Amino acid sequence: MTASKATLASSFNAIATEYAASRPGYPTALYDAVEELTGRPLAGADILDVGAGTGIGTAPMVARGARVTAAEPGSGMAAQLRSQLPDVPVVRGSGDALPFAADSFDLVTYAQAWHWTDPTRSVPEVLRVLRPGGALALWWNVPDESVQWVAAQQDRLTPRHQFDVTDRAPALVRDLAPALTPRYRELRWSRTIPLDTHVASLATHSTLATLPAERAAALLEAERAALREVFPDGQVTEPYLVRLTAVRTPA
């Protein structure tokens, strides 16, 4: 039986430390693209990072001079974010019911998180809390299946997520807010990490984290063996697409 969206989303709280240690970040070019597509610098902006998780997407915005508030519904993930970024305010809340006043932020972001929301609720909530001329940016790291070994791994281990909206986000936003014009961009990047770190990252994906422990362990051990054939030196180069959707509201 396929796990529910709520079960999948909540699975990260028990593995927040592992998530923070092994999940990929985002390339500098992503934050450049966010600034370009939203028409404003991150420096000095009041940003709400929703579904901020452990702060992987949050930290680079803080480093660029943004004033970031993180909204994270999960207790384990929120605790990890606080330990990683003690100066960032963390509020427990979800994108479907943001606990903030209207006209509070210049930019609302979702890094690897918008697919956990109900767009019919989260889009109106974003429009409510944004100031005039504010913007929304949604982005995801997606394994680049144009690379043969990645496509084979996805077939073996993590077939297309049933809640994946990464390539449909512009249309979903447009349907709910016809007056807005979402802009879309894809960016390719990669990271090279030890095989053990790659497998640890796989283990933090909700489709594996919600399996019985013995089943997940068996799948991961089989995957480790398959990858040793591809990467005999024990270093895995992970290729990604970042799928970014950005939209600015009228001033």
Side-chain angles (χ1 to χ4, degrees), residues 37 114 119 122-128 130-138 169-184 245-251:
L37 297 186
W114 194 63
S122 61
V123 170
E125 280 291 88
V126 164
L127 297 179
R128 180 182 65 81
L130 280 176
R131 294 167 181 154
L136 167 67
L138 319 168
L172 289 169
V173 173
R174 191 181 301 112
D175 288 347
L176 291 165
L180 303 182
T181 304
R183 301 176 69 185
Y184 179 79
T245 295
V247 57
R248 187 166 186 172
T249 64

Side-chain angles (χ1 to χ4, degrees), residues 156-171:
R156 287 191 301 266
L157 205 59
T158 53
R160 183 177 174 89
H161 200 300
Q162 62 177 318
F163 302 118
D164 182 12
V165 297
T166 59
D167 56 355
R168 297 185 292 116

Side-chain angles (χ1 to χ4, degrees), residues 206-240:
S206 58
T207 49
L208 283 168
T210 52
L211 289 177
E214 290 185 2
R215 173 63 174 155
L219 285 171
L220 290 168
E221 191 52 42
E223 191 60 27
R224 188 191 307 273
L227 289 172
R228 286 197 188 102
E229 298 294 319
V230 183
F231 301 102
D233 65 350
Q235 295 292 307
V236 178
T237 297
E238 299 175 338
Y240 289 100

